[in-house]
Amino acid sequence: MSDLEIRGSGPIAVDTASLDAAAAGFELVAAALDDASHALAVAAVDLSGVVFAEPEAGDAGALGRALTASADEARALAARLRHASAVYEIVELRAQLAAAEAGGDRAQIMRVRVALLLARTTDPEAARAADLALRAWRVDTGAAFGGQLLALGVQAGPFVLGALAVGLPVLREAVRAHGGGTVDAEERLVGGLPPVTAVPLRRSDRGSAPATLADAAARMPGEGEARVRVEKYTMPDGTRQFAVYIAGTQTPTSGGADPFDMQSNLELYGGQTAASYAVVVEALRAAGAGEGDAVHAFGHSQGAMVASRLATEGGFDTRTVVTFGSPVAADVGAGTLSVSVRHADDPVAALADGGMPAVVGAPGSFVAERVAHPRAHLGDLTLPSHHMTAYAETSAMLDASADPRVQPLRDVLGELGAAASVETTVWSARRDERVSRGGAAGAG
């Protein structure tokens, strides 16, 4: 897959109510065509007994038969739509059951189990199709990255190839056993905020909003000591909105002065409060964002995990979350536009194990995915598909896309572009407590 694909997350990217409504529409069309066909059949019989009307009788009969064929096609389409709706409903119920079990909601677990049993009993064929869809979704997850690793193994020799052939399935099962790289809407980080300091590096009161997603990607911090960028927008009506851009992992070490290290990576992936999350919250508050203020969060890699957590528990009105190469997929809630940009050959994005099984976020949320480097070569060992430069290229492709699903994101950027003034602050970050708290499965 080298072309950009835009879709909903997981295997559920369809509103079953819309499918049922479309099926009902085709059924109405079929009924209307049946009526018209019947009327033409009657007219053909009447005309057959009229002198000089034989040609018209033949035409009426032929048209009636064509309408009958069209009615049959409409009914067949309606049946396929009904079947698809049943399949998606079962997959969605399975997603709801997983969420209820993760949250320990016994009443909801019982309700969903009953609904799932009824759905599977009512339409066993749809149940089988749903099982196949979920199985195929899991199998496809990370296929591009795994294929490239195996291709590299071929280049490197039989020992490396054998190690990868054994190691990849083990890694996948470890991720799934850990929780599959997903964050449910009710899930919260464990532990208090560690002591950190957000240090302002530079400020400007002459900023501007990003006109495109590529503009937003270009603002991602990470060079030098920059870790967080906060933009404060004063809107024409006097209200305030904020945009925050959050860097990815900056050092492979753990427990040092830089909060954007491997320790924070492991803690966030494992559901623990991390210093990088704490410093982003501090930077937002220092920039003037208060409880309930509108925030639009952009994050890369580790910063993407932080951005998602701002939506689920940050205390702000997080209206937009845009993630690049996130190792987790989060249910950010129905009030947050969720845009996930990822590469199928990015090993860090593969840690999300396919993402959420159901569409998450506000209407207009989507996942954009492509293979950034289709041909495997030894340079892939530096993870070029995970670099922000590769995601900036994908962002430009999204900006150029005519797909209407990108429009809600453009609307957000357009709203920010209407601000009366924009204040920008770039922050460095410091962990004030250098202790290592063990981690979980890896992230990026």
Side-chain angles (χ1 to χ4, degrees):
M1 182 188 65
S2 57
D3 293 332
L4 182 65
E5 179 184 4
I6 302 173
R7 65 178 189 277
S9 58
I12 307 174
V14 177
D15 179 8
T16 55
S18 298
L19 287 177
D20 289 334
F26 277 110
E27 288 164 351
L28 289 174
V29 169
L33 289 172
D34 284 336
D35 291 342
S37 176
H38 178 71
L40 285 169
V42 171
V45 171
D46 292 342
L47 288 171
S48 64
V50 178
V51 180
F52 306 118
E54 289 84 358
E56 287 79 3
D59 291 344
L63 181 56
R65 289 188 294 273
L67 290 178
T68 297
S70 296
D72 290 342
E73 291 179 3
R75 272 187 290 273
L77 276 171
R80 288 197 289 271
L81 288 169
R82 296 283 188 195
H83 175 72
S85 176
V87 172
Y88 284 120
E89 180 183 6
I90 291 171
V91 176
E92 187 170 5
L93 284 170
R94 288 183 58 171
Q96 291 177 9
L97 179 60
E101 289 173 341
D105 188 340
R106 295 184 178 180
Q108 178 67 359
I109 291 172
M110 185 60 66
R111 283 193 294 268
V112 177
R113 281 181 176 172
V114 170
L116 185 56
L117 178 62
L118 179 61
R120 295 183 69 91
T121 304
T122 302
D123 196 337
E125 185 178 346
R128 287 191 292 273
D131 293 341
L132 288 173
L134 282 169
R135 197 173 302 128
W137 172 56
R138 287 300 188 190
V139 168
D140 288 344
T141 300
F145 168 62
Q148 290 198 352
L149 270 187
L150 292 177
L152 288 173
V154 170
Q155 297 178 32
F159 177 78
V160 175
L161 177 61
L164 289 172
V166 173
L168 284 175
V170 172
L171 174 61
R172 170 170 290 189
E173 291 308 313
V175 170
R176 289 176 181 172
H178 180 73
T182 57
V183 178
D184 295 322
E186 303 302 320
E187 186 179 332
R188 296 293 178 265
L189 292 170
V190 177
L193 293 176
V196 295
T197 301
V199 181
L201 294 176
R202 54 185 179 273
R203 288 192 174 98
S204 171
D205 57 2
R206 297 184 178 181
S208 61
T212 64
L213 183 59
D215 286 347
R219 301 183 183 200
M220 202 64 62
E223 291 188 5
E225 296 183 0
R227 299 292 179 267
V228 185
R229 175 188 175 113
V230 179
E231 296 168 349
K232 176 182 176 182
Y233 297 83
T234 301
M235 308 308 290
D237 62 359
T239 59
R240 304 179 307 177
Q241 296 190 34
F242 296 83
V244 59
Y245 307 82
I246 311 165
T249 303
Q250 299 300 305
T251 172
T253 61
S254 294
D258 193 335
F260 288 81
D261 62 356
M262 193 55 65
Q263 175 178 316
S264 291
N265 237 346
L266 300 175
E267 288 169 344
L268 285 168
Y269 193 79
Q272 295 178 280
T273 303
S276 56
Y277 172 79
V279 84
V280 171
V281 172
E282 180 173 314
L284 275 166
R285 290 175 177 166
E291 191 83 12
D293 275 338
V295 169
H296 308 273
F298 302 80
H300 171 235
S301 192
Q302 182 179 154
M305 289 194 286
V306 174
S308 296
R309 290 293 187 171
L310 288 177
T312 59
E313 60 187 287
F316 307 104
D317 176 15
T318 306
R319 299 181 182 178
T320 310
V321 171
V322 179
T323 61
F324 302 95
S326 180
V328 301
D331 183 352
V332 295
T336 301
L337 180 68
S338 173
V339 175
S340 174
V341 185
R342 61 194 189 198
H343 295 149
D345 53 342
D346 179 353
V348 176
L351 289 171
D353 196 32
M356 304 296 292
V359 175
V360 298
S365 297
F366 65 87
V367 173
E369 186 175 46
R370 72 180 180 105
V371 174
H373 294 274
R375 293 188 178 182
H377 54 83
L378 292 177
D380 288 340
L381 295 176
T382 63
L383 308 185
S385 295
H386 185 60
H387 293 174
M388 196 57 216
T389 51
Y391 280 107
E393 293 174 3
T394 306
S395 298
M397 294 172 66
L398 272 169
D399 291 330
S401 173
D403 194 306
R405 286 170 289 191
V406 183
Q407 190 56 45
L409 177 61
R410 293 187 178 120
D411 292 341
V412 169
L413 298 178
E415 180 184 2
L416 294 178
S421 64
V422 182
E423 300 174 29
T424 301
T425 308
V426 177
W427 306 79
S428 67
R430 185 178 70 242
R431 178 187 278 117
D432 295 335
E433 181 184 73
R434 299 191 186 185
V435 293
S436 178
R437 297 185 282 170

